[in-house]
């Protein structure tokens, strides 16, 4: 694998491409930060790639949560090299997987070397082995059809299954160092971390090679995982949901600051035109001193109606935790959950601070949110709320309904939603699906949108924008 070119023109193109790709992932990088990054490259040069990475990150990033996106994108525009790595040049590609039960000497030999490198904690050796893994097991396509061939980290890792090497590496370390059993748990966690790092190296090598085929900017757009605040709620996996929960409190502090600023600006009230004109008589009709309507400072009440069924549980879970973290910004917060029956879960949410990962499961087991079946029924849930809990809604209450409005072709019960909207100050429906899907299948979104204001809310960034803009102060 040869070193990439470093002419001034190529360096400028790589830096501007990196900035464009990062902006495409939602990172706010302006001309000033780009100029600072160019100065960093001028000072640090290309001799130490990791030092260059750290310098560019310091110039371009604003928070630690953006570092994973930056690192993956940096590796595309400033790769360690181009072409096939030297260690992988003599590796024979394995086109067809052996049938079940048959030995695979090439795979077994590579797994042995991976286990040895994991036991030694040798990152350089693991990086070289990642190149061999992609060369041997990651290639797909025959080259006969242009654009159909490439490399797949998923395919290579599926053949090698590095996570199954844990017991072998532990046994090797125990034999080598005489590690006592009491430290096995700590040692196992360390080996799991090394295996995750190796999987990341394989994924990075596959992205680098595909980027050489199809262009770095295209691969940065499609193959680099987004920041936590841009992860689609409905597509988030377990690890991504855990990452989202870690962003709850920083996002809550930011939103609380915005709401407090709005409250300060609104404290003076709106201009009273009649009093302003009357006051202007003393200055010949020129309104030099505007008069304002007096505004009674009172924090609003907030009611959440959350669908906690499997399809949207992650969205509701994150939003409930966020509102709980912002509870000081409201005079009262009450939270109701439903699948097809509505139950108040305000106390469960307060106790859920200690274990937010199990909040949704605790609601499903401890609260009566399901009747005789486990399917979503918005009409029944809204009707139950209107009958039993309507006293929670008053003229100072803002109601947020959270759900995809997938009603399984049942009666949407629009009258119940109208009763709620008739008592509340404002009602907003936050839907984690994109608007193009609202008229499809069993969705009653368009019917509900005709009664209350509905907004698409697919990720944490959009949720924060809506809360800061829509909630009354």
């Amino acid at each position: 694998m040869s070193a990439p070119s470093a002419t001034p023109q190529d360096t400028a193109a790589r830096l501007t491409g990196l900035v464009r790709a990062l902006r495409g992932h939602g990172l706010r990088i302006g001309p000033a930060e780009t100029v600072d990054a160019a100065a960093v490259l001028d000072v640090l040069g290309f001799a130490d790639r990791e030092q260059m990475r750290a310098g560019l990150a310091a110039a371009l990033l604003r928070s630690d949560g953006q570092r994973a996106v930056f690192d993956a994108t940096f590796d595309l525009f400033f790769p360690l090299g181009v072409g096939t790595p030297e260690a992988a040049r003599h590796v024979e590609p394995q086109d067809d997987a052996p049938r079940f039960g048959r030995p695979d000497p090439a795979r077994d030999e590579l797994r042995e070397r991976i286990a040895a490198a994991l036991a030694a904690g040798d990152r350089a050796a693991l990086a070289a082995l990642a190149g061999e893994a992609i060369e041997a097991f990651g290639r797909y396509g025959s080259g006969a059809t242009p654009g159909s061939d490439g490399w797949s980290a998923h395919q290579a890792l599926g053949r090698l299954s590095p996570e199954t090497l844990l017991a072998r590496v532990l046994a090797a370390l125990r034999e080598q160092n005489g590690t006592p059993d009491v430290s096995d748990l700590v040692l196992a966690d360390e080996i799991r971390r090394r295996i995750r790092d190796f999987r990341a190296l394989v994924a990075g090598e596959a992205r680098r090679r595909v980027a050489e085929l199809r262009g770095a900017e295209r691969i940065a757009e499609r193959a680099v995982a987004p920041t936590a605040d841009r992860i689609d709620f409905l597509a988030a996996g377990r690890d991504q949901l855990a990452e989202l929960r870690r962003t709850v409190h920083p996002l809550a502090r930011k939103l609380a600051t915005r709401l407090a600023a709005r409250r300060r600006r609104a404290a003076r009230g709106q201009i009273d035109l009649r009093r302003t004109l009357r006051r202007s008589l003393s200055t010949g009709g020129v309104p030099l001193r505007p008069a304002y309507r007096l505004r009674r400072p009172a924090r609003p009440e907030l009611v959440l109606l959350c669908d906690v069924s499997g399809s949207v549980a992650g969205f509701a879970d994150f939003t409930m935790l966020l509102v709980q973290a912002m509870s000081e910004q409201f005079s009262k917060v009450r939270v109701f959950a439903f699948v097809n029956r509505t139950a108040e879960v305000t106390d469960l949410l307060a106790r859920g601070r200690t274990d937010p990962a199990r909040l949704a499961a605790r609601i499903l087991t401890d609260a009566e949110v399901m009747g005789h079946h486990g399917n979503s029924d918005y009409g029944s849930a809204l009707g139950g709320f209107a009958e039993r809990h309507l006293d929670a809604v008053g003229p100072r209450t803002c109601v947020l309904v959270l759900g995809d409005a997938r009603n399984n072709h049942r009666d949407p019960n629009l009258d119940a939603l109208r009763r709620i909207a008739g008592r509340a100050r404002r009602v907003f429906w936050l839907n984690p699906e994109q608007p193009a899907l609202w008229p499809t299948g069993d969705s009653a979104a368009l019917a509900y949108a005709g009664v209350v204001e509905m907004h698409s809310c697919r990720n944490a960034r959009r949720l924060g924008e809506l809360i800061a803009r829509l909630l009354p102060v």
Side-chain angles (χ1 to χ4, degrees), residues 38-48 50-56:
V40 165
L41 288 179
D42 185 50
V43 172
L44 298 180
F46 292 82
D48 189 330
E50 292 308 310
Q51 188 179 51
M52 178 178 65
R53 181 199 299 268
L56 288 178

Side-chain angles (χ1 to χ4, degrees), residues 132-443:
E132 292 187 44
I134 289 296
E135 184 68 22
F137 302 109
R139 186 187 297 272
Y140 62 86
S142 61
T145 304
S148 66
D149 53 347
W151 288 270
S152 167
H154 178 76
Q155 177 177 297
L157 292 169
R159 292 286 302 278
L160 292 171
S161 300
E163 58 277 355
T164 63
L165 297 173
L166 175 63
R168 186 183 305 181
V169 176
L170 275 174
L173 287 176
R174 200 179 293 123
E175 180 180 354
Q176 176 182 349
N177 302 325
T179 306
D181 293 341
V182 70
S183 65
D184 276 3
L185 291 177
V186 176
L187 191 59
D189 286 341
E190 171 63 19
I191 300 304
R192 290 190 185 95
R193 184 192 63 77
R194 295 179 187 178
I195 291 174
R196 287 196 300 270
D197 289 346
F198 175 70
R199 293 179 67 92
L201 289 171
V202 174
E205 176 66 15
R207 281 196 301 267
R208 180 190 68 78
R209 294 195 183 199
V210 176
E212 290 181 12
L213 283 178
R214 296 178 173 83
E217 292 197 23
R218 182 180 179 187
I219 301 306
E221 177 185 357
R222 300 185 179 186
V224 175
T227 54
D229 63 344
R230 293 172 67 89
I231 295 173
D232 195 318
F233 286 122
L234 298 184
R238 180 186 303 175
D239 293 340
Q240 292 174 318
L241 288 175
E243 179 66 24
L244 272 174
R245 293 187 192 101
R246 286 192 287 270
T247 68
V248 163
H249 290 286
L251 179 58
R253 287 194 297 269
K254 183 185 298 184
L255 293 178
T257 302
R258 292 180 182 176
L259 291 176
R262 284 181 57 202
R263 190 172 292 117
R264 285 194 300 270
R265 289 195 298 268
R268 295 179 64 185
Q270 296 179 340
I271 290 179
D272 188 327
L273 184 59
R274 179 180 297 179
R275 289 177 58 208
T276 299
L277 292 177
R278 186 178 299 166
R279 182 180 290 179
S280 69
L281 295 177
S282 61
T283 57
V286 180
L288 295 178
R289 293 187 301 128
Y292 295 88
R293 295 189 181 96
L294 296 180
R295 186 177 185 275
R296 295 181 180 179
R299 295 187 179 185
E301 300 173 359
L302 185 63
V303 167
L304 263 66
L305 274 172
C306 308
D307 180 1
V308 292
S309 61
S311 59
V312 293
F315 168 50
D317 183 16
F318 178 79
T319 308
M320 286 189 287
L321 292 172
L322 178 62
V323 169
Q324 177 67 25
M326 295 175 56
S327 58
E328 293 182 357
Q329 299 300 313
F330 308 96
S331 61
K332 183 186 296 185
V333 176
R334 296 182 68 177
V335 183
F336 298 84
F338 67 87
V339 175
N340 47 62
R341 296 180 61 180
T342 304
E344 184 167 5
V345 295
T346 307
D347 292 339
L348 283 176
L349 183 60
R351 297 199 300 270
R353 293 179 179 178
T354 56
D355 188 12
R358 292 185 52 82
L359 175 61
R362 191 161 49 249
I363 288 175
L364 290 175
T365 55
D366 295 353
E368 296 182 3
V369 296
M370 287 188 289
H372 299 295
H373 59 84
N375 298 323
S376 296
D377 186 345
Y378 282 79
S380 177
L382 291 171
F385 179 85
E387 290 175 7
R388 296 188 298 273
H389 305 290
L390 200 58
D391 59 338
V393 180
R396 290 172 49 196
T397 305
C398 180
V399 179
L400 288 183
V401 185
L402 312 176
D404 59 4
R406 294 281 168 183
N407 202 37
N408 292 292
H409 301 290
R410 293 182 170 88
D411 178 14
N413 199 353
L414 300 181
D415 289 338
L417 185 58
R418 292 190 184 97
R419 289 179 62 192
I420 298 170
R423 286 179 60 93
R425 179 178 177 181
R426 297 294 298 273
V427 178
F428 301 107
W429 191 305
L430 305 185
N431 191 328
E433 288 191 338
Q434 55 184 317
L437 298 177
W438 293 357
T440 64
D442 60 350
S443 176

